[in-house]
Amino acid sequence: MSTSKKRGAAPGADPSRSQRGSGLTRLWWLLPIALAITLFEPHCFRWLLKQGVRLEAWRNGATLHLNRIEGSILEPVTFLGAQLSREGADGTVVRLEVKEATARFSWRNLFKRNSARWMERVTMDGVSGKMTFPSEPAIAAKRLSVRHWLPKLQIAPRPGRIEARDVDFIFQSNDDYVRFADARGTLSEAEPGTFTAGQLIVKQPWLERTFRDLRGTTRIDGSEVGVAEIELEPGMKLERMVAEIDALARGNLNASGQFSAFEGVVRFETRTLPGPPSVAEITGTLAEVNVAKFAAFLATPNAAGGTIKDGKFTFRGSPRRLAEATATLRLDATNFQWDARQWDSLVLGARLMNGRLEVPQLELLQGKNRLTVDGEFSLPAAGRQWWQSAFDARIKAQIEDLTALSALLLPEFRYAAGRATIEGAIRGREENFDGQLIISGSDLQWRSAPIEELQAALKFNGNELHVANIAIFNDGDFVRGRGRVNLRGPTQYSGELRAAVQDLATYAALLQPPIVPEPLAGGATVTWQGEGSAAGHKGSFRAQLNKLRSRGSSAALLHPINAALEGTYAPGKMLFDHFALSDDESAFSAKVSVGDKGVSLRDIKLRHKQNLWLEGDAVLPLDVWKAWPNTSIAGLLDDTAPTLVDLKAYNLGLREASALTGWNFPIAGAVSGSITAEGRLGALKTGGKVTLNQGRIPLGWGGRALTDVEAVVNFEGQRLQVEKLAGRSAAGDFRSEGTVDFATVRDPMLKLSLASDRTELGIFENRAKAAAALAVTIEGPASGAMVRGEARPLMMAITAPNLGALWAEAPDRNLPELLVPIETSLSGWKLEVACVTGDALPLEQNPGRFTLAGVISGTCAEPRWAGSATFAQAAAVVGDVPVVVDQGALEFRAGHPRNPTVALVVSGAVHGEAFTTHFTGPLSHILRDTLCAPPLDDALIRDFLIGKKSEAGAAGARFSLQVPPILAGGAEIYDWAAITTPTPEPPAAVQ
């Protein structure tokens, strides 16, 4: 055994293993050399740095992508195209992109044992990013990962100075966001930093606003970053805000700060508590906040004012899960105004907990008025109102001045005056309510309507509102009532009411729409008792109305009447035990019942003073219930119900009788006779005879009427025989006879003759008129009868027509409509009436004569004329120049009522010279040929007639010589205007 072996080997040791260990020991000194070579070789250094930075991002729950890295361990390192994304446990997503980031290192500090930072400075350019908050916080399952076991390597510790340029960052939740644009800033622990932003854009449900050119300071203090002195706009400054840096990196906002805004101070503190789901904890105070400036900042359309003297608020939870949040609020405000509501003092205390809003105090003071409310309310589910959830509220109001209350409640209360008290409590559960309200008032007034005393007691019982009592008194007038009504579901009610009013005009302000359409006057005593449900309504009533009339815009159309009504009603029927209408001269009475498909009037009596005007019975097939409220004759009539009429009239005055309807109808005349009818519509058997003397029958509501009407009609079976019908209309006289067959009552068949000795019609849109003698027949259904016959013209009156358009260069040569439409109620009637003059007739107010030959066709709504009209020696004008239509003819073709074919010969004089012009062709493309002697020509005549007044011939002479003044001096100038040309003698007559 060698000596070396004895020295190096222990007893029992493996000689080969000892030799290997000794070799590895000798290789350890190579590791520092290899590490130095790796770090100082640029490519290896960049690769190691990239992997280390990505590993640290992954360790913190983020994903980092880098396009490339430039630089080495001996020079600044630049990261190009960095993209970082991180999703938090609550669903918050952070995405950040940096075009270029340069880091400067102090490797000397890396090996120091003190806390000197070895990353000295980071400069970033082109920073854009977004932090997205989920609409519903996500509850992520807790997952174990190897990243949680690894120690934090701190390869990229926070640098001593951070500088960012061209920053665009968005905080977004759904469509709402806050965005910083065109921003830059610096952060440093060694010196104050700066912050600028071109725009801060806020789009939230409560605020949409853009702040521009923001500037402030920044600082880093240990683990906190702060900004200060940022003036958002004049009068609104963020004095300071401090946030935790590590929390911001995780997408959480743990911060506190203070605003000086709205002439007051707002302090706040917010923290994001660990989740999932994460929740926010916010606390704050307000002091001396000007409400008007705060409302202007929010750009609310409501007027606002007052001062929040002191306020505190807290919130803990997720704003998207209010039912799981807790919050408190207390406000003390003075001279508070919102919209038209204003009060001297507002004190509000509220607490949100377990999905319930507790209001231990809400007190409003306005002058001598005090309103206090307290209670608690469950937050309603989506799509439901607050009163549909559980609530418990107590209210107490002591109102000493209702007029002043207008500043507290609604603007309309400025019309109110008096005193009132309200006290009670209401509790609701699933749209079922319990509780009561007691209301009382005195010396009340609404506009001009006085109420001396008001008492009301309301009770809530499940789904019903019980009006235990309501009583209103004023100067002997009263209203008393009670009843109940269900608050939801199918209609169901019952109640009773008694009222006595001396003059309804006293309470016009209370009875305005929707109760009555316009002010009423007259006395009323009413008693009603009834009940109703979705199945129908029934009850009894009694009413006495005295001199009931309108005092509104329709007062002239209405007539004061008295009414005495008493009866009962039930589904499909109404029975009047007493029904009477009267005025100072006339009285109507009957036993009235309204059935399912008919109206019965028995024992009808109409008296005027001491005279009996009408008596009899009538059962009319009127389905009032079905047609109401969209009534019409067609809708009221029922073909299946029987008809029974037996009426006798004794010189009945239509004007006085119609006044008992309450309307002043423009109708008059005396009716005598009798009428009987029996059977269903379409199979009526009628009889009787009726005469009308000195009648006036209105034609619609436009004021037109038939006057001096004399009529005799006979009823025979299903026919009305018109023996005589004569009178006058605005157009002229008329007389008619024939039959009306009402086998189809809704559209009876007519077979009548109509004649008139003279009827005047408007033509050319009433710019002229014509008179004719008519002899026509009317046959067919009333909705569209055919009118045939003859109209013999008697006269035409037309002022001197202006023919200027015939000479104009761009004329409007369309004539107005020849015939004016007739009354629209006859619009469906068809026309086929010949119109021929025969010999030429004179034009009134015109020396000319005319003839007509043609046919009026079409309908009354659109009458059409086809035929010819000729004129001779008719006066006309062009502009203001008189001319004469020597001969003229207009041929109106079917289908072209405004473009007749024209053949006219017009003569006149211009500047003392005569001319004659011929016009031929369609009016829209007429040809003109002018005959004249020099110095006239066609252009001169046209320009003069249409008003251009050209210089040629302006002196009015046949010839004129105009010499320039420079040549006229000392020269003898002949007055050519005084020289006349001898008129040639006419040729001698041939013998």
Side-chain angles (χ1 to χ4, degrees), residues 74 116 129-130 144 224 323 380 510-511 581 607 663 748 780 789 819:
L74 300 177
K130 177 186 288 188
L144 295 177
E224 295 181 338
L510 292 173
L511 298 176
L581 304 174
R607 298 181 182 276
W663 289 88
L819 299 176

Side-chain angles (χ1 to χ4, degrees), residues 737-767:
E737 59 182 31
T739 60
V740 178
D741 190 330
F742 45 82
T744 53
V745 178
R746 291 181 176 83
D747 197 7
M749 297 295 293
L750 309 178
K751 189 174 183 181
L752 302 169
S753 64
L754 176 65
S756 173
D757 294 332
R758 183 183 178 91
T759 294
E760 293 186 356
L761 301 174
I763 61 175
F764 291 133
E765 298 179 355
N766 286 327
R767 299 178 188 179

